[in-house]
Amino acid sequence: MNTARTAEITRHTAETRIAVRLNLDGTGRARLATGIGFFDHMLDQIARHGLIDLDVDCVGDLHIDGHHTVEDVGIAIGQALKAAVGDKRGIARYGHAYVPLDEALSRVVIDLSGRPGLFAHLPLTSAMVGQFDTQLVREFFQALANHAFITLHIDNLRGDNAHHQIETVFKAFGRALRMAVAPDPRAAGSVPSTKGSL
């Protein structure tokens, strides 16, 4: 397993300019500047509940809308996660979490499988939370899963308030990721797959 599970990713396109720094063995510290307040708040949940140090700087074409910013940040975080986790020797591989927030409840299950896939049930009750288009929750996690090469199941099980629904998803993702990347002391540095690689 990598001794320093960190990564830095930069991504510059005609639509966004992004720098991401990630430490899987951090303390939950985050420095976030995407230009979308609610999105920063949700990324902070990943860092805090995943005990990941996460810096995200993004200048995007917000005069159009938030789509490119949110999707491209998902791409960059996914790339950073893939780089930081390395060859996956000695880790748990799987993680899951249920997180409530008042009336809302979500479940997230992660497999650091090497096979990208998002399977999400997100019956969100509002189209917007602040300046954040709630359709972008799926776009963010699709981009992250595709570029981290993880299988990701997300289910919002109940909720009436879209802010609460989304927050439980991001918190549960952070908790599940923390479990999946955790060192397994019984694994003795082996790859958690009968194939021998992930």
Side-chain angles (χ1 to χ4, degrees), residues 1-188:
M1 191 166 67
N2 295 343
T3 54
R5 300 194 302 168
T6 63
E8 295 189 17
I9 298 292
T10 57
R11 175 181 169 83
H12 294 169
T13 73
E15 297 165 342
T16 58
R17 297 178 62 83
I18 299 172
V20 167
R21 289 164 292 282
L22 181 149
N23 177 3
L24 291 179
D25 300 307
T27 60
R29 180 197 56 76
R31 190 181 65 79
L32 307 163
T34 66
I36 305 172
F38 181 74
F39 187 39
D40 288 349
H41 180 45
M42 293 302 101
L43 295 175
D44 195 26
Q45 304 307 321
I46 294 175
R48 186 71 54 88
H49 291 274
L51 290 181
I52 294 166
D53 291 343
L54 180 64
D55 293 348
V56 178
D57 291 303
C58 178
V59 177
D61 54 2
L62 295 179
H63 61 285
I64 296 173
D65 67 8
H67 191 287
H68 299 141
T69 291
V70 173
E71 182 177 32
D72 287 7
V73 167
I75 290 170
I77 291 176
Q79 291 172 339
L81 176 58
K82 182 177 185 294
V85 80
D87 65 8
K88 304 172 189 170
R89 290 183 181 277
I91 64 167
R93 175 178 169 178
Y94 300 101
H96 63 273
Y98 286 82
V99 170
L101 175 56
D102 298 340
E103 88 298 345
L105 175 66
S106 291
R107 174 184 61 219
V108 172
V109 183
I110 292 175
D111 178 8
L112 301 181
S113 61
R115 297 183 305 277
L118 173 67
F119 307 91
H121 176 66
L122 294 165
L124 302 176
T125 60
S126 176
M128 298 293 291
V129 174
Q131 298 302 307
F132 183 82
D133 178 352
T134 61
Q135 294 182 96
L136 299 181
V137 175
R138 181 182 297 272
E139 298 301 323
F140 170 76
F141 283 110
Q142 184 73 71
L144 189 154
N146 285 349
H147 291 268
F149 287 77
I150 64 175
T151 303
L152 181 57
H153 288 257
I154 299 174
D155 292 282
N156 174 242
L157 301 174
R158 61 177 55 93
D160 300 317
N161 180 291
H163 185 136
H164 293 172
Q165 290 174 289
I166 296 167
E167 189 163 336
T168 59
V169 165
F170 277 80
K171 286 178 174 176
F173 175 79
R175 293 258 166 185
L177 181 61
R178 176 177 165 184
M179 181 185 293
V181 302
D184 182 347
R186 297 180 62 197

